Amino acid sequence: MDTRPPIFAIRFSLTVLMALGWLRAAEPPGSLKALLAEALSNNPEILASQKRYEAARQRPGQVSSLPDPMFSPGFASNGRPWPGAGLGKEPTSNIGFMVSQEVPWPGKRKLQGDMAVKEYEAEFQNYTQAQLSVVSRIKQAYYRRAYAFEVVEVLDRNIDLLRRLLKITEARYSVGKAAQQDVFKAQTQISILATKRIQLEREKRAREAEIVSLVNRAPGSSLEKPDALLPQEMKVGLEELYEAAKQNSPMLLKDEKMIQRAELAVNMARKEYYPDYTIKAGYFNMGSMPPMYQLSADFKIPLYFFRKQRPAVTEQSQTLAASRRDYEASNQSLHFRIKDDQLMAETSNQLIKLYSQTVIPQSSLALESSLSSYETGSVDFLTVLMNYVTVVEYEMNYYEELQNYYLAVSRLEEMTGRSLLP
């Protein structure tokens, strides 16, 4: 029985590894590609799944082999209860042995082996899914950590700007040109941004711990600062994503293997109507008399087929129907999730362009203009503060949409089994 993985599985595994940077040149430590390569080598979930797959590959040869033969030595004596008593004198005294071999009905062993092959091919898809899942989780944690770094920089920059505004307000208040509440509002806004910064620092440390766990480093290990989040275009349409999922999704491919396994199980249940048999051969020494030889065959009679074989066929037929429904459900769920994440990526990409090209530049100009006017007393403090809060909010929204875009793409890569970004 050939227990090598199927050719399509090898090709798919290599494609996944290349897409994830496994076969590429060495990357700087701490980069996303380096972390992915490290996880593929060290992650316990992936290694455990690999071992389960390798264990499953050993089953086809076992289940398709003949049962172990039986060797039965013995004797028959007359007059005394020990071997050889009456040997050569009595025709029923002898010393010899029997060899028996149970033989399943033709076709059963092949069906059992083929079923085991489908099981290990399904286990290979579990192994591939483990790789894709770990990679997706690392990417998502990496992008969330990068988002936290970017927004902390935004907050630091705008807190400095707000402190500048606070000094101006305090100076104006000291000469009676500003209300005391303006000073309090500026101080309150600084405190609000400080609370957001504390939350983001927690997010940075939490995502760092998650990545360290996924790459199987020692707890408490530190990571380098992630690369800056920059816009990238995913130039893959929805139909291409559907087709890639159909070709590569471990979830669908596993369900296909389980359908094929269930079809073989139905045939196996039908084969149980045919009897297995045991062939026996023996040699018996009769002493001075001529030796005796024996050859016989025992057949199992499926007499109780109405309670065993018939329900077994029904059981396996229902299991086959269930496997087909499982595939249908997985396919529908996968199409929905792909559509949902594709819409999220598309929407986030549009918002990224809108924020970067229009909203943030315009709101920044409005803030700069209001700051200059406030210093000269042309506008009130509330106008400046509203413009300031708007700029901060839009900058944070920009990076949030960048994060959402990368998270959606990461999930799409997991579902389609292919790299979607340059």
Side-chain angles (χ1 to χ4, degrees):
M1 180 64 63
D2 186 1
T3 60
R4 293 172 296 174
I7 294 298
F8 81 88
I10 296 175
R11 288 201 200 101
F12 176 52
S13 182
L14 291 176
T15 300
V16 170
L17 295 178
M18 292 180 67
L20 302 179
W22 176 259
L23 300 180
R24 294 180 181 174
E27 298 289 338
S31 69
L32 179 56
K33 292 176 182 177
L35 291 171
L36 294 178
E38 185 177 354
L40 288 171
S41 298
N42 302 330
N43 181 267
E45 295 176 38
I46 293 177
L47 297 177
S49 184
Q50 180 187 10
K51 295 306 179 184
R52 283 191 290 269
Y53 161 63
E54 292 175 354
R57 287 184 60 192
Q58 311 307 313
R59 295 177 196 148
Q62 299 177 54
V63 299
S64 61
S65 298
L66 284 169
D68 292 335
M70 296 287 292
F71 177 76
S72 306
F75 68 90
S77 61
N78 285 270
R80 297 290 186 274
W82 49 74
L87 191 65
K89 299 177 182 179
E90 299 292 337
T92 56
S93 295
N94 59 72
I95 297 177
F97 61 87
M98 292 282 294
V99 177
S100 60
Q101 173 67 63
E102 183 181 352
V103 182
W105 188 265
K108 286 186 178 180
R109 291 191 298 121
K110 183 179 185 306
L111 283 171
Q112 289 174 329
D114 290 344
M115 288 166 59
V117 168
K118 297 305 176 184
E119 289 170 1
Y120 90 66
E121 288 177 352
E123 196 62 52
F124 177 81
Q125 299 306 326
N126 287 334
Y127 171 44
T128 305
Q129 182 62 56
Q131 291 178 305
L132 291 173
S133 175
V134 168
V135 165
S136 179
R137 285 151 58 192
I138 288 178
K139 284 187 174 183
Q140 292 182 59
Y142 186 90
Y143 294 138
R144 286 191 171 100
R145 185 166 178 259
Y147 162 78
F149 271 92
E150 297 286 1
V151 176
V152 164
E153 292 182 4
V154 169
L155 292 178
D156 288 344
R157 184 172 66 251
N158 283 281
I159 287 174
D160 290 341
L161 179 61
L162 191 56
R163 286 180 177 142
R164 172 189 162 193
L165 178 61
L166 176 60
K167 289 181 180 180
I168 296 173
T169 305
E170 289 173 338
R172 289 175 59 81
Y173 170 69
S174 64
V175 296
K177 293 184 178 181
Q180 188 179 30
Q181 64 178 359
D182 294 345
V183 176
F184 293 153
K185 286 179 180 178
Q187 292 172 339
T188 300
Q189 193 61 39
I190 291 175
S191 298
I192 290 173
L193 296 184
T195 61
K196 291 181 179 179
R197 194 183 189 286
I198 291 172
Q199 293 172 338
L200 289 167
E201 289 293 340
R202 186 210 68 82
E203 179 71 4
K204 286 162 59 175
R205 292 194 295 271
R207 299 290 73 79
E208 181 180 51
E210 182 180 3
I211 295 172
V212 166
S213 172
L214 289 170
V215 300
N216 201 27
R217 292 186 187 177
S221 300
S222 60
L223 297 175
E224 296 180 1
K225 180 180 177 181
D227 296 334
L229 286 179
L230 300 174
Q232 293 192 66
E233 193 79 26
M234 182 183 71
K235 299 181 179 179
V236 180
L238 185 60
E239 292 303 320
E240 291 181 76
L241 293 173
Y242 286 154
E243 184 61 28
K246 181 180 179 181
Q247 297 291 331
N248 301 330
S249 170
M251 181 170 60
L252 292 183
L253 294 175
K254 176 187 175 182
D255 285 348
E256 287 180 357
K257 297 303 176 185
M258 296 312 294
I259 290 173
Q260 296 167 9
R261 192 257 180 215
E263 290 171 343
L264 294 169
V266 171
N267 293 335
M268 183 66 189
R270 289 173 179 156
K271 282 279 187 182
E272 292 297 337
Y273 279 103
Y274 301 96
D276 298 340
Y277 52 92
T278 302
I279 299 174
K280 299 179 179 179
Y283 167 80
F284 301 92
N285 187 294
M286 306 290 289
S288 59
M289 299 181 185
M292 183 173 65
Y293 302 91
Q294 183 177 342
L295 180 65
S296 64
D298 298 335
F299 289 84
K300 292 181 180 179
I301 306 299
L303 184 61
Y304 307 107
F305 66 91
F306 55 92
R307 297 187 62 183
K308 296 175 63 177
Q309 283 80 4
R310 184 183 295 169
V313 171
T314 302
E315 176 190 0
Q316 296 303 330
S317 297
Q318 295 300 325
T319 301
L320 173 58
S323 297
R324 287 171 174 161
R325 291 301 184 185
D326 285 340
Y327 177 86
E328 184 179 347
S330 297
N331 190 45
Q332 290 288 356
S333 174
L334 190 63
H335 275 67
F336 159 70
R337 290 164 54 200
I338 289 175
K339 177 69 173 178
D340 188 34
D341 281 319
Q342 191 269 342
L343 287 173
M344 178 177 288
E346 184 179 312
T347 301
S348 294
N349 189 44
Q350 293 172 353
L351 291 173
I352 288 167
K353 293 178 180 178
L354 188 61
Y355 278 122
S356 62
Q357 298 174 7
T358 306
V359 176
I360 293 178
Q362 290 177 350
S363 61
S364 297
L365 288 174
L367 176 60
E368 292 176 7
S369 175
S370 62
L371 274 172
S372 301
S373 299
Y374 180 66
E375 290 177 355
T376 61
S378 301
V379 298
D380 59 7
F381 176 80
L382 185 59
T383 301
V384 177
L385 186 61
M386 288 181 61
N387 288 337
Y388 167 81
V389 171
T390 299
V391 169
V392 175
E393 181 181 350
Y394 288 159
E395 287 192 40
M396 292 177 64
N397 288 347
Y398 167 77
Y399 284 109
E400 184 175 358
E401 292 304 330
L402 257 180
Q403 174 189 236
N404 290 339
Y405 175 78
Y406 278 108
L407 294 180
V409 171
S410 298
R411 292 190 292 267
L412 287 170
E413 290 179 334
E414 178 182 2
M415 290 183 284
T416 59
R418 60 172 290 187
S419 179
L420 300 176
L421 293 176

